[in-house]
Amino acid sequence: MNVQLAYRRFFMNLLFLAFTFILLHGSSTAREEASRHDDDDVVNIGAIFTLQTINGKVSKIAIEAAEQDVNSDPRILGGRRLSINIHDSNFSGFLGFIGALKFLMTDTLAIIGPQTSGMAHVLSHLANELHVPLLSFTALDPTLTPLQYPYFVQTAPSDQFQMTAIADMISNYGWREVIAIFNDDDPGRNGVTVLGDKLAERGCKLSYKAALPPEPNATPSFITGQLVKIKSMESRIIVLHTFAKTGLLVFDLAQKHEMMSKGYVWIATAWLSTVLDSSSASNTSNSVLGALTLRPHTPQSLKKQAFISRWKHLSNGSIGLNPYGLYAYDSVWMIARALNLFFDQKGKVSFSNKNLSRTGEENLNLGALSVFEGGKQLLDNILRINMTGLTGPIHFGSDRSPPHPSFEIINVIATGFRSIGYWSNYSGLSVITPEKLQLKPANRSISSQHLKPVIWPGNTIERPRGWVFPHNGRQLRIGVPNRVSYRAIVSQINASNAVQGYCIEIFRAAIKLLPYAVQYKFVLFGDGENNPSYYDLVNMITLDVFDVAVGDIAIVTDRTKIVDFTQPYIESGLVVVAPVNKLKSHAWAFLRPFTPMMWGVTAFFFLFVGTVVWILEHRTNDDFRGPPKEQIVTVLWFSFSTMFFAHRENTVSPLGRVVLIIWLFVVLIINSSYTASLTSILTVQQLSSPITGIDSLISSNERIGFQVGSFAANYLTEQLNIPKHRLVPLGSPEEYAIALERGTVAAVVDERPYVELFLSDHCEFSIRGQEFTKSGWGFAFPRDSPFAVDMSTAILTLSENGELQRIHEKWLSEKACAHRSSENEQLQLNSFKGLFLICGITCFVALLIYFLSMLHQFSKKSPIKAGPSNRDSSRSARIQTFLDFVDEKEAVSPRKLKRKLEHISSNRLRSISKSRSDRVQ
């Protein structure tokens, strides 16, 4: 808000001075007014630059060359002569404003410039009122939008694209935090704001913004103070967004403070590429070795090569050509072609002050300022330009941005500089020129984004990791829980600051795998009398008491909201531990494998399947015929003999065979399961407990124990809604055992690694049910810490090379109980529900098919002949007849009878042959 007020005050002061200038020179301007139309063959164009700057010098030469080329082409401007007047603003916004007013008080149809975005904001207001187009290729502030400044046109890619390119580079190299150094002016602030937005879109961020006074007011002492502050920070990725004079001073001072050494990354915006292109490399490269910079990319062409060849003659060897010289040349031609079209459209160069007369300020001499009545038409012609210039194809989109803006990425090396790739808004980062990629479908995949190798500061080709530990010289403060139980996990050594344990050894092993040295010290957290709160330990990182927390820290949601965790180095989750009773063997032990429900359903299906098979076989199979008592015995015998596959009766009907096959498969599964379960019961000691898992524990009103400092208490109350009065804090494995034995608690809920250590010494307890949460232990770091990423990579390496398992076996190896018991888990009906369902459906379908077949046969044999008078008596008689029909023996066809006799004969022959062979033996 203060910046906006200062900007408004500055603008109003300029306007006041400008109108004072108009009042003082009113008479002279009036005289100029009289002579405005003396020379209609001259078209006046203005240009505003600081001619002592690199871009000012290059632009002046290029603009004059373009003016000469336009005037030498009789096809342009219909014989009129283009006159470009260049005003030197000499680093002064006020002088630049005065120069613009001079142009606006004459027949100036357009202005090239200004050079800086700050002046562009001011002059654009005048351009809006006087309808004079402003074309600038160096004022590239992203906030100079056509909605607010319709008469301001950027003829080069704005800083929005340059900042997007830098953000893509940083993301591509895997860096996360960036420091920006910039001039505290409009282009500097707005450019860095865009950079921050683009970084955030890619999961990165600006960790610090170092503002410098606007050029040329930045002093070495001020810059040194900022560099010293930056040197003490964590990030080593520095983006330098300034002008040439300030930027080179920053590099010189950075080199003096050893900030151009190995580990640093410097990315300069396009100002550095203009210095490299236009100045002697020997004067600049020594202080910027290893830096990266961007240069606006212009495709190669014969026209461009011809102009480059002319440049030495045009400049007399005083300065080298850079891309902004090409944009300056093309800007002149854009105005010339737009004016040519304007005159072809019968446009007239005329001015009026009718809009200004409505201001009501009669004391101000506004007659010297006039509105260009053809300004809107000229602006439209400029925006409709479609030509090919030195910078390539030129036309404007709906947002007035150039077509496919792109940049070349340059690496400064000892011999000068070299290109390492390109960026374009079409294809991102690539080593192939953008104009070639534009002929192919756009590809922004990660695999396609790459650049050539870079020689970084310190003359190394190894990619910097982009960060260091802050506060050089200070050791990392590693917070460690001062546990009083489970000391194999982490513990203090002899009342000193030294620590040991499973977690500590993993941390040290991971540190050794890092590609850089880390200075650290362990700091115990807790009073040594009770286990500390792990939430408080993690919170100490956010309070900057600890830099890292190492220990048995569970990765849970509440903690991940305030810190970052590494990859888990051990799996963990909550389990239930409860006392168990050993089941003694007794006379009815053979009934244990099945639950009563399972026994009942199994018995029912034996009888049900036997009955179904009897119905299906009764008419055709003699084995299932006879007196009623005999048939009842047959059904019972057949049903239960299938349990041992010992049934004597053959099934002859297709439906009976289908049902029997399905049932025998079910019996096979049931027999196998029963045998396995009974074997386990008779050979392994069985345990029983009223607590079968977390569900039974929740439904009961029993008290539950938990470890002091663990997240289990919060989980039980907040996630499972268990009242707090049911929870009992326990501080050690000994307290676990005492509480469980005395019945103080019905069960203990704790993480599996602790429970496994506890059970290795207490075999009278057991885990009941399954693990009901899934998590792990990790090391905690501040949010967005790159150290956490490197440590996660190291932990994965330990897991892959087997070192993690070796450390686990060293510290957490379980001592097996003499007789490890198993839980008494009976086979439930749910385990066999599918089998019984298949068998039942098969039986019902077979019965349905059988009765439909019987009805069909019966209807053909006994058609209905009863009248209406005796319908009821006829129906009952017919039902009885149908039952008799079903019960009677089905007539056997001669073919079936012959086949049956042959079968009987073959069986008798086989039995006789077998008996004879037995006698011979």
Side-chain angles (χ1 to χ4, degrees), residues 37-43 77-83:
H37 301 286
D38 291 345
D39 190 0
D40 293 335
D41 294 335
V42 176
V43 178
L77 302 180
R80 297 174 179 84
R81 184 172 63 86
L82 186 68
S83 176

Side-chain angles (χ1 to χ4, degrees), residues 485-717:
S485 62
Y486 297 112
R487 297 176 63 83
I489 293 175
V490 59
S491 62
Q492 183 181 16
I493 301 176
N494 300 327
S496 65
N497 288 329
V499 290
Q500 65 178 3
Y502 169 68
C503 302
I504 303 302
E505 186 163 344
I506 289 178
F507 178 79
R508 286 173 171 154
I511 284 287
K512 292 178 181 178
L513 295 178
L514 298 180
Y516 46 87
V518 179
Q519 300 297 323
Y520 61 90
K521 63 178 180 180
F522 292 112
V523 181
L524 290 168
F525 177 75
D527 57 12
E529 298 180 359
N530 297 291
N531 290 335
S533 168
Y534 280 70
Y535 184 84
D536 291 343
L537 172 61
V538 170
N539 195 48
M540 288 297 172
I541 296 177
T542 64
L543 299 176
D544 198 31
V545 175
F546 296 136
D547 299 309
V548 186
V550 170
D552 47 334
I553 306 172
I555 304 173
V556 294
T557 304
D558 289 344
R559 298 171 186 171
T560 58
K561 293 178 181 178
I562 58 175
V563 296
D564 282 349
F565 282 94
T566 61
Q567 173 82 12
Y569 56 85
I570 185 175
E571 292 184 357
S572 178
L574 294 178
V575 293
V576 177
V577 180
V580 289
N581 298 319
K582 299 177 182 178
L583 293 178
K584 297 180 180 180
S585 181
H586 54 80
W588 301 99
F590 67 90
L591 295 177
R592 281 188 198 165
F594 290 162
T595 61
M597 177 63 71
M598 180 65 185
W599 278 116
V601 172
T602 303
F604 169 77
F605 263 86
F606 271 109
L607 296 175
F608 175 68
V609 172
T611 303
V612 170
V613 171
W614 180 84
I615 293 174
L616 298 176
E617 296 288 325
H618 181 66
R619 294 193 74 232
T620 58
N621 193 337
D622 292 336
D623 292 337
F624 291 89
R625 298 189 63 81
K629 291 183 178 180
E630 183 177 338
Q631 290 305 298
I632 293 174
V633 172
T634 299
V635 169
L636 293 175
W637 165 254
F638 179 82
S639 298
F640 290 102
S641 63
T642 55
M643 180 184 299
F644 311 102
F645 305 98
H647 52 285
R648 298 174 305 178
E649 295 79 10
N650 292 322
T651 52
V652 297
S653 68
L655 293 176
R657 289 176 177 177
V658 170
V659 171
L660 185 60
I661 289 173
I662 298 298
W663 174 242
L664 291 179
F665 175 73
V666 174
V667 170
L668 174 65
I669 299 300
I670 293 175
N671 278 345
S672 301
S673 303
Y674 175 85
T675 303
S677 181
L678 183 61
T679 302
S680 175
I681 290 173
L682 297 178
T683 56
V684 180
Q685 197 172 35
Q686 297 295 300
L687 304 176
S688 67
S689 171
I691 304 298
T692 59
I694 188 62
D695 293 331
S696 63
L697 195 59
I698 294 173
S699 61
S700 70
N701 292 320
E702 301 288 346
R703 306 187 75 187
I704 304 169
F706 68 92
Q707 183 182 172
V708 175
S710 170
F711 77 96
N714 288 337
Y715 184 85
L716 292 174
T717 56

